[in-house]
């Protein structure tokens, strides 16, 4: 009983580690673009295969894909990275499309992975940005 009381009264003060790169935390802590890209590709392929474009469902499909991708990448073990997932779902009607993004980041630690899917009626582009935080 006394031990429980001691643990509740004891306050911890955390110190800065001064580790400013993912390599400082050990092997495999850096965001692995190739592995994440395979995961994204599999998720969007499995979800969109056989699907036809429906403008009333496109927004919901994008949100579902985004959540599925985010949850799967979170389980891959990149604890020092913030994840930003962007999914675009649209109708394929013979148009040309270019999707681009810009941001300010550390090229040594931050990276992104992307994958796309197309069928006869729709396209889907998913991007995952892994931004390292200290």
């Amino acid at each position: 009983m006394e031990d429980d009381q001691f643990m509740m009264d004891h306050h911890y003060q955390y110190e800065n580690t001064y580790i400013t790169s993912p390599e400082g935390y050990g092997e495999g802590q850096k965001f692995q673009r190739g592995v994440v890209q395979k995961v994204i590709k599999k998720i969007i392929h499995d979800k969109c295969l056989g699907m036809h474009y429906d403008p009333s469902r496109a927004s919901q499909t994008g949100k579902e894909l985004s959540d599925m991708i985010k949850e799967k990448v979170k389980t891959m073990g990149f604890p020092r990275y913030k994840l930003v997932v962007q999914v675009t779902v649209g109708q394929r009607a013979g148009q040309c499309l270019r999707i681009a993004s810009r941001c300010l980041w550390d090229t040594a630690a931050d990276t992104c992975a992307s994958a796309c899917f197309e069928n006869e009626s729709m396209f889907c582009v998913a991007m995952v940005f892994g931004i390292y935080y200290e």
Side-chain angles (χ1 to χ4, degrees):
M1 191 68 145
E2 289 180 15
D3 291 336
D4 292 337
Q5 184 64 30
F6 175 74
M7 292 302 287
M8 290 191 319
D9 291 341
H10 196 319
H11 296 345
Y12 294 97
Q13 183 174 354
Y14 294 99
E15 298 289 329
N16 193 342
T17 63
Y18 299 103
I19 298 175
T20 59
S21 69
E23 291 84 8
Y25 287 97
E27 194 67 31
Q29 294 298 310
K30 191 167 182 177
F31 191 84
Q32 298 170 4
R33 180 180 181 194
V35 176
V36 173
Q37 195 163 4
K38 287 177 187 175
V39 168
I40 299 168
K41 191 169 194 157
K42 181 176 177 7
I43 290 172
I44 63 175
H45 184 268
D46 292 349
K47 176 82 173 170
C48 296
L49 189 65
M51 187 181 282
H52 294 285
Y53 181 75
D54 179 7
S56 62
R57 292 268 313 138
S59 175
Q60 185 63 30
T61 301
K63 288 177 187 175
E64 290 170 3
L65 280 167
S66 179
D67 289 339
M68 290 168 61
I69 291 168
K70 183 177 67 174
E71 291 306 315
K72 181 64 177 176
V73 174
K74 274 185 179 180
T75 64
M76 296 175 72
F78 305 113
R80 303 294 297 177
Y81 281 86
K82 294 284 187 182
L83 301 174
V84 177
V85 180
Q86 178 184 352
V87 176
T88 304
V89 177
Q91 183 177 16
R92 188 170 172 220
Q95 75 276 26
C96 180
L97 178 72
R98 185 173 302 222
I99 297 175
S101 61
R102 297 175 74 178
C103 55
L104 181 64
W105 67 12
D106 178 10
T107 57
D110 302 337
T111 190
C112 70
S114 65
C116 59
F117 173 84
E118 285 185 77
N119 64 20
E120 61 280 343
S121 69
M122 65 177 280
F123 68 89
C124 177
V125 178
M127 294 183 282
V128 176
F129 299 92
I131 292 109
Y132 180 76
Y133 72 102
E134 299 171 359

